[in-house]
Amino acid sequence: MSKKLLALDLDGTLTNSKKEVTPRTRKVLTEMMKRGHTVVLASGRPTPGVLRVAESIDLHKYDGYVLSYNGGKVTKCSTGEVLNEQYLPEKIVPEIFHLADELGIGMMTYNENGIVANMHNDEFMELEAFINHMDIVHYQNPLEQITAPVNKCLGTAPVETALKFVKIFADKFQGYISVGRSEPFYIELMPLGIDKAVSLGRLSAMVGLGRENVIACGDGFNDISMVEYAGLGVAMANAQDELKEVADYVTYSNDEDGVAYIIEKYILGN
């Protein structure tokens, strides 16, 4: 069998509802990597939040890769080398936070100490901190805490209104940044042209594999592009309907080892 590159979203895909990688999934991931296949974790999470999972499944031992910030930063796990990294325009970041305050919604970014947030607080901001095992601090002027280039900002809003705010940000910053969603309550603000498919395409070419040898699994809105890009695009049973519509295959849910099933069926040949 030809070598495969397996790209996996984390939350709702690789990890179950407890944010854990199950023993069955861990076992088949190790087996496929031992056979020379490549595993890539592609997530909207910040790099520390993705690397924590990468280390737990030994990607550093098998030349795995991490696409964090929806592909805005690409890291080779075995060496820690950053292969590609892109940032939001410096002048746009203050405007993003100012607009969030005007709209009365949450806005976050990341620094070396954790998550930097505006004064708004909601359950979705707390979820981001919990998922990534990072401290979140709310500041009257969060811009004073940002001393390095910004890979991504993340807005939060109730599910019933979030899409409206996505459109507001997209219209306001058209031509300067990319705006999308991961979960129905998150507003992803990324460097222009960045999404998981773009970075996955660059990486697959770098390791010498065509898209016909790429398998991508996901569940969220921000997984649509990479699922469409992959030779085999897989949606979890718990995925957003929009993702299922473009997927080639719908596997079991993240609580039913859906990723393990795909590895066994299409990579290990079990």
Side-chain angles (χ1 to χ4, degrees), residues 18-266:
K18 297 180 180 179
K19 305 300 179 184
E20 298 170 342
V21 181
T22 68
R24 176 187 171 191
T25 298
R26 192 185 307 274
K27 179 180 178 181
V28 295
L29 280 167
T30 299
E31 180 61 29
M32 69 166 280
M33 290 189 289
K34 284 182 176 179
R35 295 190 189 185
H37 303 288
T38 301
V39 174
V40 177
L41 301 186
S43 175
R45 289 191 192 188
T47 306
V50 189
L51 286 177
R52 185 172 287 103
V53 179
E55 291 167 2
S56 76
I57 58 175
D58 293 332
L59 287 199
H60 59 290
K61 295 181 180 179
Y62 298 102
D63 268 348
Y65 298 85
V66 157
L67 307 183
S68 51
Y69 303 109
N70 284 314
K73 185 174 182 177
V74 182
T75 307
K76 185 174 183 177
C77 295
S78 61
T79 63
E81 179 186 3
V82 177
L83 304 180
N84 188 51
E85 186 169 17
Q86 297 190 46
Y87 306 106
L88 290 167
E90 184 176 353
K91 68 177 184 178
I92 297 297
V93 175
E95 296 182 34
I96 287 172
F97 273 88
H98 291 153
L99 180 56
D101 288 340
E102 289 176 10
L103 297 172
I105 65 172
M107 187 57 63
M108 301 173 278
T109 190
Y110 314 88
N111 66 12
E112 64 276 8
N113 298 316
I115 300 173
V116 174
N118 64 2
M119 292 305 292
H120 180 93
N121 194 6
D122 58 36
E123 60 186 299
F124 312 121
M125 304 181 91
E126 297 300 325
L127 178 62
E128 177 71 0
F130 169 77
I131 287 172
N132 290 291
H133 299 272
M134 298 172 75
D135 293 330
I136 182 170
V137 181
H138 298 268
Y139 295 95
Q140 192 70 45
N141 187 357
L143 297 170
E144 293 179 349
Q145 309 301 318
I146 303 171
T147 57
V150 172
N151 297 99
K152 186 186 87 165
C153 290
L154 183 66
T156 61
V159 174
E160 61 271 17
T161 58
L163 185 56
K164 175 185 71 173
F165 294 124
V166 167
K167 293 177 179 177
I168 290 173
F169 276 93
D171 290 342
K172 171 76 172 179
F173 300 112
Q174 184 177 9
Y176 293 96
I177 66 174
S178 292
V179 182
R181 284 195 296 172
S182 48
E183 299 292 345
F185 40 79
Y186 283 147
I187 303 158
E188 305 270 349
L189 306 164
M190 300 158 293
L192 188 65
I194 282 297
D195 64 24
K196 293 186 181 184
V198 170
S199 295
L200 185 58
R202 290 172 180 162
L203 180 59
S204 59
M206 193 177 299
V207 300
L209 294 175
R211 62 190 299 179
E212 69 276 7
N213 291 314
V214 174
I215 300 173
C217 302
D219 74 297
F221 297 110
N222 61 334
D223 297 317
I224 290 175
S225 66
M226 77 168 183
V227 166
E228 288 183 313
Y229 166 81
L232 178 65
V234 179
M236 310 302 289
N238 52 286
Q240 301 291 337
D241 289 339
E242 291 90 333
L243 180 62
K244 290 180 180 178
E245 290 174 4
V246 303
D248 301 305
Y249 189 90
V250 178
T251 187
Y252 298 105
S253 77
N254 64 319
D255 286 324
E256 299 170 303
D257 287 308
V259 166
Y261 176 80
I262 291 298
I263 295 170
E264 291 165 347
K265 179 178 177 67
Y266 290 103

